[in-house]
Amino acid sequence: MRIIKITTPLNDDVVKSLRVGDKVEINGVIYTARDAAHKRFIDAINKGEKLPFDPKGQIIYYVGPTPPRPGMIIGSAGPTSSYRMDVFLEPLLKLGLKGTIGKGYRSQAAIDAMVKYGAVYFVAVGGAGALISKRIKKAEIIAYEDLGTEAVNKLEVESFPVIVANDTLGNDIFKLGVQRYSRVKY
Amino acid sequence: MRIINVKDIEEAVSKVCMEINYNLREGMEKIIEEVLQKEESESGKEVLRQILENIAIARDEKIPACQDTGVCIAYVELGQDVRIEGGFLYDAINKGVANGYVKGYLRKSVVRDPFNRINTKDNTPAMIHVELIPGDKLRIKLMAKGAGSENMCKLAMLTPADGLEGVKRFVIDTVKEGGINACPPLIIGVGIGGTFDMVGWLAKKALFRGMNVRNKDEFYAKLELELIKEINDLGIGPMGFGGRVTALDVRIEVAPCHIASLPVAVNFECHAHRVGEIIL
């Protein structure tokens, strides 16, 4: 298994070189957003307003962390299911977003949009929130504080462990995995 | 008649809510170590290794194993010779949950109304199921149930003609469709029989049963083993990346049903299996 270290913001060459199944370690800044924040992003885009951060070259992490204990940077912070954000993906890719991190599979429309705009989807291990919290070195709420755990955070991460699940060629780790290991007809 | 004070219930519930979120159910670590030996896919092995590392960090540093610390399911078995003193049983459980989730730095994931979606800010109310039992003991089993696995669950009202094959097909199809998103490797609760309302609860109740504890009825015990094999043959693997390990366990609970009915329900639980028990 290839292990690739990448640093945000991502340029097109790096994004295009990533392939399904690659083990990747992300460094630099990533932004958190899940259901409620995405709804506000799309409302803002529709009204012609600015987003809380410029998505160009950036990665959004679908996560709603637990509250940190005093002295801790962040609480448990594993990925949430990505399919709920599928309907919000394309408008953000249009603004230059290059990657998303979550768990579970994406819709065909989301995969097609990633091919069209040259973006990738990373999967982090669902249920490994304690481990992932250790790779987050700084966390700062930058928007929608009223949303609580769903607020938008700017995170600084080091060696954040993910696997490429959809690449810019439209490959899908979930389809390929089952094809390889299934002992029955699908 | 045995008297149990609500204060004792509150305290115990609060403590268990915290404990189960830092320490997965006993035996989970050993089971993941065992299945790591069976897994053939490189990505699958990587996932299982991260899960093991996560279990250790969560336990040692009291960080919730999963950030989705869930909605709290309370399965209460109340001895009919118990008298609850000092308040109402449901309030005591909810106070315990609120206290545990606030003091334990757990995520508050409950909204008051499905449409206004305002967070209750203390993770209450718990989903409370009370069953009367003989005797003078109060047993409360608590589960922190995440939505990732819960959202993939399904229920069907099959016909008697669908039979065993129909039930098996429904379970397998539900795993094919939603298994990837439910955070595999999975524990799968299956309810068969009863009525529409009861069959979902049977599937949930199955998740409270211990790891690899088979149904007492030989027929269903065999069916559980068959389903484990058939689900693992699907090749979904850890996190859905493809592999040999998809189901850690399948547990079936059954109930009598109407001559015209064959209800079936599938309740998924992820590898971050958080269950604890209180006996007062």
Side-chain angles (χ1 to χ4, degrees), chain A residues 104-172:
Chain A
Y105 57 80
R106 310 305 301 255
S107 67
Q108 192 55 50
I111 294 170
D112 292 345
M114 284 186 257
V115 173
K116 186 175 171 191
Y117 293 98
V120 291
Y121 167 51
F122 302 104
V123 165
V125 175
L131 179 153
I132 292 169
S133 75
K134 297 296 192 186
R135 310 294 173 92
I136 298 168
K137 302 301 170 184
K138 211 173 157 189
E140 180 197 353
I141 295 175
I142 58 162
Y144 315 151
E145 198 165 358
D146 60 298
L147 293 179
T149 184
E150 298 202 55
V152 175
N153 274 267
K154 181 182 175 185
L155 305 180
E156 276 181 39
V157 299
E158 258 176 48
S159 303
F160 188 101
V162 292
I163 286 182
V164 178
N166 294 114
D167 59 27
T168 54
L169 301 178
N171 294 311
D172 184 356

Side-chain angles (χ1 to χ4, degrees), chain A residues 34-110:
Chain A
R34 43 178 291 159
D35 311 60
H38 271 82
K39 196 167 178 297
R40 291 196 189 176
F41 288 167
I42 301 308
D43 289 346
I45 291 171
N46 289 341
K47 285 186 204 153
E49 292 167 5
K50 267 196 164 178
L51 295 184
F53 63 96
D54 180 1
K56 203 169 170 357
Q58 299 299 343
I59 295 174
I60 289 179
Y61 180 25
Y62 303 142
V63 61
T66 61
R69 284 177 190 278
M72 278 177 60
I73 295 160
I74 196 164
S76 187
T80 192
S81 297
S82 306
Y83 72 94
R84 301 193 312 272
M85 270 57 78
D86 282 346
V87 292
F88 305 121
L89 183 63
E90 188 161 358
L92 294 165
L93 296 179
K94 225 181 242 179
L95 293 176
L97 185 75
K98 283 293 155 193
T100 51
I101 309 168
K103 70 173 179 80
Y105 57 80
R106 310 305 301 255
S107 67
Q108 192 55 50

Side-chain angles (χ1 to χ4, degrees), chain A residues 172-184 186, chain B residues 176 180 233-237 240-244:
Chain A
D172 184 356
I173 198 170
F174 303 108
K175 289 190 191 110
L176 295 171
V178 162
Q179 272 169 21
R180 183 159 170 202
Y181 289 96
S182 178
R183 288 175 165 141
V184 292
Y186 258 78
Chain B
K176 274 185 188 172
I180 290 172
D233 280 351
L234 294 175
I236 292 169
F241 294 155
R244 295 285 162 239

Side-chain angles (χ1 to χ4, degrees), chain B residues 112-133:
Chain B
R112 175 70 58 199
D113 178 277
F115 293 113
N116 81 17
R117 305 202 75 82
I118 293 169
N119 198 297
T120 61
K121 294 199 158 77
D122 59 8
N123 220 51
T124 64
M127 306 292 152
I128 303 172
H129 302 261
V130 180
E131 290 183 358
L132 273 185
I133 55 167

Side-chain angles (χ1 to χ4, degrees), chain B residues 6 14 17 28 36 38 40 43 48 79 82-83 105 109 127 129 134 139 147-148 151 162 186 203 209 249 262:
Chain B
V6 286
S14 166
C17 282
M28 287 309 293
L36 176 58
K38 290 185 202 160
E40 292 168 18
S43 313
L48 296 171
V82 171
R83 193 166 76 79
Y105 296 94
S109 309
M127 306 292 152
H129 302 261
R139 184 182 294 136
N151 282 350
D162 291 322
L186 304 167
R209 202 199 295 163
D249 201 3
L262 179 51

Side-chain angles (χ1 to χ4, degrees), chain B residues 5-23:
Chain B
N5 194 285
V6 286
K7 286 278 168 225
D8 295 330
I9 299 170
E10 270 175 52
E11 268 172 39
V13 168
S14 166
K15 202 166 143 238
V16 171
C17 282
M18 291 189 250
E19 271 173 16
I20 59 177
N21 276 293
Y22 313 138
N23 277 310

